[in-house]
mmCIF file of all heavy atoms in Angstrom:
data_model
loop_
_atom_site.group_PDB
_atom_site.id
_atom_site.type_symbol
_atom_site.label_atom_id
_atom_site.label_comp_id
_atom_site.label_asym_id
_atom_site.label_seq_id
_atom_site.Cartn_x
_atom_site.Cartn_y
_atom_site.Cartn_z
ATOM 1 N N TRP F 5 13.101 0.031 -76.440
ATOM 2 C CA TRP F 5 12.236 -1.009 -77.037
ATOM 3 C C TRP F 5 10.902 -1.285 -76.282
ATOM 4 O O TRP F 5 9.937 -1.512 -76.843
ATOM 5 C CB TRP F 5 12.911 -2.367 -77.193
ATOM 6 C CG TRP F 5 13.334 -3.023 -75.975
ATOM 7 C CD1 TRP F 5 14.520 -2.886 -75.273
ATOM 8 C CD2 TRP F 5 12.589 -3.956 -75.174
ATOM 9 N NE1 TRP F 5 14.537 -3.659 -74.164
ATOM 10 C CE2 TRP F 5 13.302 -4.367 -74.079
ATOM 11 C CE3 TRP F 5 11.260 -4.500 -75.280
ATOM 12 C CZ2 TRP F 5 12.812 -5.234 -73.087
ATOM 13 C CZ3 TRP F 5 10.825 -5.379 -74.346
ATOM 14 C CH2 TRP F 5 11.599 -5.720 -73.275
ATOM 15 N N ILE F 11 3.066 -7.029 -76.486
ATOM 16 C CA ILE F 11 3.406 -7.921 -75.459
ATOM 17 C C ILE F 11 2.298 -9.015 -75.348
ATOM 18 O O ILE F 11 1.099 -8.741 -75.330
ATOM 19 C CB ILE F 11 3.504 -7.293 -74.039
ATOM 20 C CG1 ILE F 11 4.610 -6.266 -74.081
ATOM 21 C CG2 ILE F 11 3.762 -8.276 -72.946
ATOM 22 C CD1 ILE F 11 4.715 -5.417 -72.844
ATOM 23 N N THR F 47 7.188 -9.295 -77.819
ATOM 24 C CA THR F 47 7.722 -9.583 -76.502
ATOM 25 C C THR F 47 6.816 -10.598 -75.795
ATOM 26 O O THR F 47 5.581 -10.537 -75.891
ATOM 27 C CB THR F 47 7.757 -8.251 -75.659
ATOM 28 O OG1 THR F 47 8.655 -7.360 -76.326
ATOM 29 C CG2 THR F 47 8.226 -8.534 -74.262
ATOM 30 N N LEU F 48 7.480 -11.514 -75.101
ATOM 31 C CA LEU F 48 6.766 -12.444 -74.149
ATOM 32 C C LEU F 48 6.958 -11.979 -72.759
ATOM 33 O O LEU F 48 8.043 -11.675 -72.276
ATOM 34 C CB LEU F 48 7.331 -13.873 -74.283
ATOM 35 C CG LEU F 48 7.112 -14.577 -75.534
ATOM 36 C CD1 LEU F 48 7.527 -16.075 -75.393
ATOM 37 C CD2 LEU F 48 5.660 -14.677 -76.007
ATOM 38 N N TRP F 49 5.778 -11.969 -71.965
ATOM 39 C CA TRP F 49 5.851 -11.723 -70.567
ATOM 40 C C TRP F 49 5.390 -13.070 -69.947
ATOM 41 O O TRP F 49 4.266 -13.488 -70.090
ATOM 42 C CB TRP F 49 4.899 -10.567 -70.228
ATOM 43 C CG TRP F 49 4.404 -10.482 -68.827
ATOM 44 C CD1 TRP F 49 4.835 -11.076 -67.706
ATOM 45 C CD2 TRP F 49 3.259 -9.696 -68.384
ATOM 46 N NE1 TRP F 49 4.077 -10.795 -66.669
ATOM 47 C CE2 TRP F 49 3.100 -9.880 -67.001
ATOM 48 C CE3 TRP F 49 2.359 -8.866 -69.018
ATOM 49 C CZ2 TRP F 49 2.084 -9.327 -66.286
ATOM 50 C CZ3 TRP F 49 1.361 -8.223 -68.264
ATOM 51 C CH2 TRP F 49 1.210 -8.488 -66.884
ATOM 52 N N ILE F 50 6.283 -13.671 -69.158
ATOM 53 C CA ILE F 50 6.014 -14.993 -68.554
ATOM 54 C C ILE F 50 5.704 -14.747 -67.062
ATOM 55 O O ILE F 50 6.441 -14.299 -66.349
ATOM 56 C CB ILE F 50 7.211 -15.883 -68.671
ATOM 57 C CG1 ILE F 50 7.779 -15.836 -70.149
ATOM 58 C CG2 ILE F 50 6.828 -17.372 -68.344
ATOM 59 C CD1 ILE F 50 6.966 -16.528 -71.207
ATOM 60 N N SER F 51 4.523 -15.253 -66.674
ATOM 61 C CA SER F 51 4.130 -15.297 -65.214
ATOM 62 C C SER F 51 5.061 -16.261 -64.500
ATOM 63 O O SER F 51 5.684 -17.121 -65.091
ATOM 64 C CB SER F 51 2.714 -15.678 -65.103
ATOM 65 O OG SER F 51 1.866 -14.747 -65.648
ATOM 66 N N LYS F 94 11.745 -10.390 -77.596
ATOM 67 C CA LYS F 94 12.244 -10.135 -76.258
ATOM 68 C C LYS F 94 11.440 -10.965 -75.259
ATOM 69 O O LYS F 94 10.330 -11.377 -75.497
ATOM 70 C CB LYS F 94 12.077 -8.623 -75.866
ATOM 71 C CG LYS F 94 12.742 -7.578 -76.772
ATOM 72 C CD LYS F 94 14.179 -7.498 -76.636
ATOM 73 C CE LYS F 94 14.666 -6.394 -77.474
ATOM 74 N NZ LYS F 94 16.210 -6.352 -77.437
ATOM 75 N N ILE F 95 12.107 -11.253 -74.111
ATOM 76 C CA ILE F 95 11.441 -12.006 -73.044
ATOM 77 C C ILE F 95 11.422 -11.252 -71.718
ATOM 78 O O ILE F 95 12.558 -10.726 -71.310
ATOM 79 C CB ILE F 95 11.984 -13.391 -72.921
ATOM 80 C CG1 ILE F 95 11.183 -14.208 -71.986
ATOM 81 C CG2 ILE F 95 13.448 -13.388 -72.623
ATOM 82 C CD1 ILE F 95 11.424 -15.758 -72.026
ATOM 83 N N VAL F 96 10.364 -11.160 -71.059
ATOM 84 C CA VAL F 96 10.226 -10.472 -69.800
ATOM 85 C C VAL F 96 9.699 -11.413 -68.763
ATOM 86 O O VAL F 96 8.707 -12.131 -68.955
ATOM 87 C CB VAL F 96 9.267 -9.284 -69.896
ATOM 88 C CG1 VAL F 96 8.933 -8.632 -68.558
ATOM 89 C CG2 VAL F 96 9.810 -8.214 -70.839
ATOM 90 N N PHE F 97 10.388 -11.430 -67.604
ATOM 91 C CA PHE F 97 9.946 -12.379 -66.459
ATOM 92 C C PHE F 97 9.094 -11.485 -65.488
ATOM 93 O O PHE F 97 9.410 -10.348 -65.246
ATOM 94 C CB PHE F 97 11.158 -12.931 -65.679
ATOM 95 C CG PHE F 97 11.790 -14.130 -66.406
ATOM 96 C CD1 PHE F 97 11.435 -14.534 -67.724
ATOM 97 C CD2 PHE F 97 12.840 -14.749 -65.760
ATOM 98 C CE1 PHE F 97 11.990 -15.598 -68.259
ATOM 99 C CE2 PHE F 97 13.447 -15.908 -66.437
ATOM 100 C CZ PHE F 97 13.076 -16.301 -67.633
ATOM 101 N N ASP F 98 8.103 -12.222 -64.873
ATOM 102 C CA ASP F 98 7.398 -11.619 -63.746
ATOM 103 C C ASP F 98 8.301 -11.737 -62.476
ATOM 104 O O ASP F 98 8.677 -12.825 -62.198
ATOM 105 C CB ASP F 98 6.044 -12.362 -63.572
ATOM 106 C CG ASP F 98 4.915 -11.457 -63.427
ATOM 107 O OD1 ASP F 98 5.048 -10.347 -62.823
ATOM 108 O OD2 ASP F 98 3.810 -11.846 -63.763
ATOM 109 N N VAL F 188 17.647 -12.566 -69.931
ATOM 110 C CA VAL F 188 16.336 -11.935 -69.839
ATOM 111 C C VAL F 188 16.442 -10.505 -70.172
ATOM 112 O O VAL F 188 17.372 -9.796 -69.802
ATOM 113 C CB VAL F 188 15.791 -12.185 -68.424
ATOM 114 C CG1 VAL F 188 14.418 -11.473 -68.283
ATOM 115 C CG2 VAL F 188 15.570 -13.681 -68.124
ATOM 116 N N ASP F 189 15.449 -9.998 -70.964
ATOM 117 C CA ASP F 189 15.471 -8.647 -71.454
ATOM 118 C C ASP F 189 14.918 -7.592 -70.477
ATOM 119 O O ASP F 189 15.255 -6.431 -70.565
ATOM 120 C CB ASP F 189 14.702 -8.531 -72.785
ATOM 121 C CG ASP F 189 15.394 -9.407 -73.815
ATOM 122 O OD1 ASP F 189 16.466 -8.992 -74.277
ATOM 123 O OD2 ASP F 189 14.778 -10.396 -74.265
ATOM 124 N N GLY F 190 14.041 -8.058 -69.571
ATOM 125 C CA GLY F 190 13.445 -7.110 -68.635
ATOM 126 C C GLY F 190 12.506 -7.829 -67.632
ATOM 127 O O GLY F 190 12.358 -9.056 -67.695
ATOM 128 N N PHE F 191 11.883 -7.072 -66.824
ATOM 129 C CA PHE F 191 10.933 -7.625 -65.770
ATOM 130 C C PHE F 191 9.732 -6.818 -65.659
ATOM 131 O O PHE F 191 9.702 -5.593 -65.818
ATOM 132 C CB PHE F 191 11.743 -7.601 -64.417
ATOM 133 C CG PHE F 191 13.011 -8.292 -64.434
ATOM 134 C CD1 PHE F 191 14.244 -7.598 -64.606
ATOM 135 C CD2 PHE F 191 13.058 -9.666 -64.265
ATOM 136 C CE1 PHE F 191 15.424 -8.290 -64.697
ATOM 137 C CE2 PHE F 191 14.320 -10.365 -64.321
ATOM 138 C CZ PHE F 191 15.476 -9.694 -64.521
ATOM 139 N N ARG F 192 8.680 -7.513 -65.361
ATOM 140 C CA ARG F 192 7.429 -6.890 -64.897
ATOM 141 C C ARG F 192 7.454 -7.026 -63.393
ATOM 142 O O ARG F 192 7.475 -8.118 -62.836
ATOM 143 C CB ARG F 192 6.240 -7.600 -65.535
ATOM 144 C CG ARG F 192 4.864 -6.943 -65.070
ATOM 145 C CD ARG F 192 4.230 -7.900 -64.030
ATOM 146 N NE ARG F 192 2.967 -7.353 -63.605
ATOM 147 C CZ ARG F 192 2.187 -7.960 -62.739
ATOM 148 N NH1 ARG F 192 2.513 -9.066 -62.136
ATOM 149 N NH2 ARG F 192 1.039 -7.392 -62.403
#
Side-chain angles (χ1 to χ4, degrees):
W5 65 267
I11 301 174
T47 299
L48 291 189
W49 158 18
I50 314 290
S51 294
K94 305 284 189 184
I95 186 165
V96 170
F97 282 5
D98 228 328
V188 175
D189 295 292
F191 304 95
R192 179 258 180 180

